[in-house]
């Protein structure tokens, strides 16, 4: 397992933990091997449920802006696009994994971090969680399945507002919109995670798999249809990365100033 990702299985409950707490678990290409290995192990018969978590005080702050700005400035398009392709792979893997996936969100879930949380089947949030489709603020398009999964969960007007404005949602607001299933106080999060994990681990695996397939099908999707939508999302993000707005947005973020978009 690669260093930025931890994976363990206990009592048939698998936990994938983003492990860059000093960077708020921001996503980098070095996570590729860890994600792929974790998804493969989660598919094994001994696992009944997968938990997605972030180490430290955040779930995931999205892409590592510092790394992205350097890669963009140096024209490292292959590395940038590989990170986007990883996001599509992870989003597809979570949606088609024949087992329940639960995102456990504390602190920020921003940009691709929010996308990752939306890729789970259920979301359990601490009351200190905060959600933001922040891509637009740095001149970028949603990735890691964010636009696809958000459109599955809320109506088009709400999805448009969240993506076009990039405003931060409190846990309670996310609950009201149907983006999370349950909100608990921070000191009750671990107990709630344990209880939900154990309940799912005791459930009928085959039925869970059928339910997940039905939920996709009821929205006019199957595995290939979902992949096509994720690829289309990725193409938009790859184009956005090459526009001047992306360079300005990333620079403004690092310089702590308002961006001046074209």
């Amino acid at each position: 397992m690669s260093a930025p990702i931890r994976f363990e299985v206990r009592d048939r409950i698998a936990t994938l933990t983003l492990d860059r707490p000093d960077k708020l678990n921001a996503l980098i290409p070095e996570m590729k091997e860890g994600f792929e290995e974790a998804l493969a192990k989660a598919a094994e018969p001994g696992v009944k449920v997968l938990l997605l978590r972030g180490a430290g005080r955040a779930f995931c702050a999205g892409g590592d802006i510092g790394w992205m700005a350097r890669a963009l400035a140096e024209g490292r398009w292959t590395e940038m696009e590989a990170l986007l392709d990883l996001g599509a792979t992870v989003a597809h893997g979570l949606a088609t994994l024949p087992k329940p996936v639960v995102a456990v969100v504390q602190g920020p879930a921003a940009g691709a971090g929010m996308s990752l949380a939306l890729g789970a089947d259920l979301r359990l949030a601490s009351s200190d969680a905060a959600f933001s489709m922040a891509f637009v603020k740095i001149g970028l398009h949603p990735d890691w399945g964010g636009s696809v999964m958000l459109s599955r969960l809320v109506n088009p007007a709400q999805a448009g507002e969240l993506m076009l404005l990039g405003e931060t949602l409190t846990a309670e607001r996310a609950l009201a919109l149907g983006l999370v299933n349950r909100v608990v106080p921070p000191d009750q999060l671990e107990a709630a995670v344990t209880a939900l994990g154990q309940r799912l681990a005791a459930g009928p695996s085959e039925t869970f798999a059928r339910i997940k397939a039905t939920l996709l099908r009821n929205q006019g999707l199957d595995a290939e249809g979902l992949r096509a939508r994720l690829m289309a999302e990725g193409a938009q993000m790859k184009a956005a990365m090459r526009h001047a707005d992306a360079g300005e947005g990333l620079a403004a973020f690092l310089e702590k100033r308002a961006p001046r978009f074209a």
Side-chain angles (χ1 to χ4, degrees):
M1 193 68 66
S2 65
I5 298 283
R6 285 189 283 113
F7 183 84
E8 64 177 346
V9 179
R10 183 176 301 172
D11 298 327
R12 301 185 296 179
I13 300 171
T15 302
L16 185 163
T17 303
L18 307 179
D19 196 18
R20 299 186 74 214
D22 57 323
K23 297 292 186 180
L24 300 183
N25 303 313
L27 302 165
I28 53 175
E30 287 79 4
M31 290 177 166
K32 181 177 188 295
E33 180 183 351
F35 268 117
E36 292 178 345
E37 187 175 341
L39 287 172
K41 289 184 175 180
E44 294 177 357
V47 173
K48 296 287 292 291
V49 58
L50 173 63
L51 306 180
L52 301 180
R53 309 202 64 168
R57 64 186 181 88
F59 177 72
C60 176
D64 188 316
I65 301 298
W67 179 88
M68 291 171 65
R70 290 190 299 274
L72 189 65
E74 296 166 8
R76 287 151 44 197
W77 300 112
T78 299
E79 292 178 51
M80 293 277 282
E81 293 186 356
L83 184 60
L84 299 180
D85 291 339
L86 172 62
T89 297
V90 171
H92 189 271
L94 295 175
T96 57
L97 185 73
K99 303 169 186 192
V101 179
V102 180
V104 181
V105 183
Q106 80 283 352
M114 181 171 175
S115 299
L116 183 61
L118 296 183
D121 302 302
L122 302 173
R123 280 154 295 282
L124 177 61
S126 167
S127 56
D128 66 0
F131 299 83
S132 174
M133 296 297 285
F135 302 93
V136 71
K137 294 182 177 180
I138 54 174
L140 292 174
H141 185 280
D143 61 9
W144 280 64
S147 65
V148 179
M149 301 309 173
L150 185 61
S151 297
R152 293 179 64 198
L153 293 168
V154 298
N155 67 50
Q158 291 168 331
E161 180 177 342
L162 292 172
M163 287 189 282
L164 290 169
L165 299 182
E167 293 181 344
T168 300
L169 303 176
T170 64
E172 291 297 339
R173 178 61 176 152
L175 179 65
L177 288 174
L179 294 174
V180 300
N181 300 88
R182 193 179 309 167
V183 175
V184 300
D187 61 355
Q188 297 178 23
L189 183 62
E190 293 308 316
V193 172
T194 299
L196 181 57
Q198 290 176 343
R199 180 173 180 179
L200 290 169
S205 298
E206 183 65 22
T207 300
F208 284 157
R210 293 181 184 279
I211 288 172
K212 288 193 63 167
T214 294
L215 289 171
L216 273 179
R217 188 169 56 251
N218 285 349
Q219 294 177 322
L221 290 173
D222 57 14
E224 289 310 307
L226 176 61
R227 190 184 305 279
R229 293 195 186 187
L230 292 169
M231 291 300 102
E233 175 192 77
Q236 292 290 353
M237 178 55 146
K238 290 173 183 178
M241 284 193 314
R242 293 174 181 267
H243 192 275
D245 281 347
E248 168 60 15
L250 291 168
F253 181 91
L254 293 174
E255 295 166 11
K256 297 182 169 58
R257 61 172 174 83
R260 297 181 291 272
F261 293 128

